[in-house]
Amino acid sequence: MATLFELTVNNERVQVAMSPQATLLEALRYGLSLTGSKQGCDKGDCGACTVLADGAPILSCITLAADAVGRRITTIEGLASPQGLDAVQEAFDVCGALQCGFCQSGMMVSARALLNVNSDPSLVEIKHALSGNLCRCTGYTKIFEAVQVAAGQRKPRLTGPPTLALPRKGGGE
Amino acid sequence: MLTLPPFTHHAPTSVDEALALLAQHKDALLIAGGTDLVPNMKHGLRSPAHLVSLRGLSSLAYTREENGEILLGATTLIQTLADDALVKKRLPALAEAAAQIAGPQLRRMGTLGGNLCLDTRCVYINQTHFWRRALGFCLKKDGTVCHVVKSGKRCVAAASNDTAPVLMTLGASVVLQSKHNVRRVPLTEFYVSDGIRNTVIGDDEILVEARIPAPRTGLCMAYEKLRQREAIDFPALGVAVTLSLDAQGLLETIRLAVTGLAARPQMVRCDDLAGRTVDEATAEAARHAFKQCHPLTNINIDPEWRREMIPIFVRRAIRRALSSPRR
């Protein structure tokens, strides 16, 4: 039997029918089709499911949908406005701060939460703020760079698209 | 994808209402941040018929000092403990410990009461049901053998609360409330040496508050945490210390506690150190801790290494406590 949860997601009041034991992440992904928040470890380790609840970053995979009632939830889909992308999203794009992209929405939500309370963070503060988001591809360098770019602290390193090393004519291949 | 077992969710708006629900439903558990309980439920370790949510009890989220005590409400967020001006000024070691719990998101979900009531952890228990079944289960849940201590009759899963050892060295107690009773239990008596259930809290009780005697002037304190990563990790070892020096600069009092090793956070006996020089007392406290603590293979980190780190972390904690500004 389904339960009707009344949630406030990205400034909209929505009703979503889920099983009573649904997590917030399941309600977002499977009830509201907001699939930007990722289901990674699904037990609170990896940070891919990070959303904002009343402005604070939380893990939606271990938050009960029932316990999200009455809180203001912001997902990655809620970061952009009709005027365009969020500065964090722009910066991740320009810096190429991703490889497979699975951790990216959680990273950007955590970065947004940081910049909302600290508009000029140090690199240490950035690392602390993103320490609950695991990335298995990048080694984090470009992610930290992107947050600095979003904070207006530096220009992106414009390296252009990667060049392919083609085998030379007459080579042994 | 890990699904939760079925339960009925209750969202009381007052402590009395929550206590009434606990009294009414025998198979009920409390949920606050859910950072410990929800993963455990997903692993099939807990399957309560009822969940009583403390999320609506904002009246339990406070930090204040009155009548010579510092009072910390149970639903105070871990992040609040790390940032709060009163906690940072009066109980700096607690702020340090809180700042090192888990990661940023988990600190904004988890609560003080939840950390004090954290379930014990073991490499053989914090696994999926499939994994545990493949091994034939264990003492703590569904089985009859202990994989850590082969012939063991008692669960040795590790207490992993970072806040507990700090509060123990500060002489804290917790207030446990049920529908018909309120009792105050010293934190050193709150924990028992049984990994299956390592606290004395009753099924019908709520830990509503921690009470800490206001530290007197000159009391130094620190918390040191050993872990593999600098975030999202439970302690492989946690060492808390409070100490004071007399007018001659000799050791006056010392209280030392460790966590992350056995089924309960443990006080290290240091009775014979008063009157010693700081250097002597530091070395002796490190020796006491090494002798009294015996890490097991309950955590997937080499117990020999953890044991070698005990005296190092005791010395580090004492040095840092003494170098922090005197209040």
Side-chain angles (χ1 to χ4, degrees):
Chain A
M1 202 184 69
T3 301
L4 204 58
F5 295 107
E6 266 196 45
L7 302 175
T8 305
V9 180
N10 300 332
N11 292 322
E12 239 181 279
R13 301 204 51 162
V14 290
Q15 291 190 326
V16 52
M18 299 293 297
S19 73
Q21 64 269 22
T23 63
L24 173 58
L25 179 65
E26 287 158 357
L28 293 171
R29 286 182 62 87
Y30 310 122
L32 298 169
S33 298
L34 294 171
T35 52
S37 307
K38 299 302 178 203
Q39 199 157 15
C41 68
D42 212 20
K43 51 183 182 170
D45 289 332
C46 76
C49 67
T50 304
V51 300
L52 304 182
D54 300 324
I58 63 158
L59 301 175
S60 60
C61 76
I62 53 170
T63 299
L64 302 179
D67 277 335
V69 172
R71 311 187 78 188
R72 255 182 326 110
I73 305 300
T74 307
T75 69
I76 185 69
E77 290 88 350
L79 246 54
S81 68
Q83 282 74 48
L85 292 179
D86 186 278
V88 170
Q89 293 171 307
E90 290 275 11
F92 270 68
D93 175 16
V94 174
C95 296
L98 75 152
Q99 284 180 28
C100 85
F102 200 81
C103 72
Q104 195 191 0
S105 38
M107 286 283 182
M108 294 194 291
V109 171
S110 283
R112 174 40 60 206
L114 167 70
L115 295 177
N116 282 348
V117 295
N118 180 355
S119 59
D120 190 23
S122 67
L123 182 58
V124 171
E125 288 169 331
I126 293 171
K127 287 182 177 179
H128 271 283
L130 298 186
S131 65
N133 294 82
L134 301 183
C135 171
R136 300 292 81 175
C137 310
T138 66
Y140 302 97
T141 306
K142 289 191 171 186
I143 292 172
F144 299 147
E145 182 190 323
V147 182
Q148 291 176 319
V149 169
Q153 295 171 344
R154 61 180 287 180
K155 294 249 177 293
R157 231 190 309 241
L158 286 173
T159 50
T163 47
L164 285 176
L166 296 171
R168 267 194 230 149
K169 224 181 213 175
E173 319 267 337
Chain B
M1 183 168 168
L2 298 164
T3 50
L4 286 166
F7 55 82
T8 304
H9 182 270
H10 305 270
T13 52
S14 70
V15 176
D16 286 345
E17 202 185 325
L19 290 170
L21 283 162
L22 283 187
Q24 185 189 342
H25 301 292
K26 287 300 149 218
D27 188 12
L29 286 177
L30 294 168
I31 180 168
T35 58
D36 188 40
L37 180 62
V38 174
N40 285 350
M41 286 173 69
K42 286 189 169 188
H43 281 167
L45 294 171
R46 309 303 293 264
S47 46
H50 299 270
L51 280 184
V52 178
S53 174
L54 302 182
R55 181 163 295 285
L57 307 191
S58 51
S59 62
L60 289 183
Y62 55 84
T63 65
R64 63 171 180 263
E65 181 163 1
E66 65 185 40
N67 303 328
E69 282 187 315
I70 294 166
L71 312 181
L72 305 174
T75 62
T76 305
L77 292 180
I78 298 294
Q79 187 66 41
T80 305
L81 294 178
D83 294 337
D84 185 76
L86 174 72
V87 178
K88 274 164 101 166
K89 180 159 181 282
R90 304 289 276 150
L91 312 169
L94 181 62
E96 280 169 17
Q100 295 179 74
I101 292 174
Q105 299 97 323
L106 293 160
R107 285 196 293 275
R108 285 164 177 86
M109 304 167 71
T111 62
L112 173 66
N115 192 252
L116 289 174
C117 295
L118 187 75
D119 203 352
T120 55
R121 302 184 59 81
C122 178
V123 66
Y124 298 104
I125 198 75
N126 297 109
Q127 307 285 355
T128 58
H129 186 267
F130 174 84
W131 191 103
R132 293 186 293 112
R133 189 181 57 198
L135 200 66
F137 298 112
C138 78
L139 270 186
K140 184 164 164 75
K141 184 78 170 78
D142 304 324
T144 54
V145 293
C146 176
H147 303 296
V148 177
V149 181
K150 290 298 174 204
S151 54
K153 292 281 169 280
R154 196 163 235 200
C155 173
V156 293
S160 306
N161 350 43
D162 288 291
T163 58
V166 178
L167 292 177
M168 284 164 71
T169 59
L170 287 163
S173 37
V174 286
V175 178
L176 307 179
Q177 193 174 343
S178 65
K179 194 176 174 188
H180 300 294
N181 191 28
V182 180
R183 59 181 178 139
R184 186 171 168 160
V185 180
L187 204 56
T188 47
E189 292 165 29
F190 180 65
Y191 295 105
V192 292
S193 196
D194 179 356
I196 294 176
R197 185 170 182 157
N198 78 338
T199 74
V200 298
I201 196 166
D203 288 338
D204 59 342
E205 285 180 316
I206 299 178
L207 190 165
V208 290
E209 184 178 70
R211 289 173 165 245
I212 302 109
R216 59 199 171 77
T217 314
L219 191 74
C220 309
M221 61 185 87
Y223 178 69
E224 287 285 337
K225 177 172 180 173
L226 175 69
R227 49 184 168 170
Q228 289 178 313
R229 296 175 297 190
E230 283 190 35
I232 339 179
D233 256 359
F234 287 97
L237 164 69
V239 175
V241 68
T242 62
L243 74 166
S244 60
L245 306 182
D246 65 16
Q248 282 77 47
L250 301 174
L251 189 92
E252 192 178 43
T253 61
I254 182 166
R255 285 170 68 88
L256 191 61
V258 295
T259 192
L261 303 178
R264 64 171 161 178
Q266 180 188 344
M267 291 296 293
V268 174
R269 289 182 307 281
C270 292
D271 309 326
D272 53 345
L273 301 185
R276 305 276 200 100
T277 65
V278 167
D279 284 352
E280 277 176 10
T282 305
E284 198 57 29
R287 271 194 289 275
H288 282 324
F290 184 76
K291 269 192 213 150
Q292 292 172 36
C293 302
H294 304 278
L296 300 164
T297 52
N298 49 8
I299 298 176
N300 200 12
I301 302 172
D302 182 10
E304 292 301 317
W305 179 64
R306 279 155 72 214
R307 185 149 192 241
E308 294 295 333
M309 293 306 281
I310 292 169
I312 294 170
F313 270 54
V314 168
R315 290 195 291 267
R316 240 182 238 183
I318 293 175
R319 263 202 302 274
R320 213 162 46 73
L322 288 171
S323 67
S324 60
R326 301 292 157 82
R327 283 158 302 108

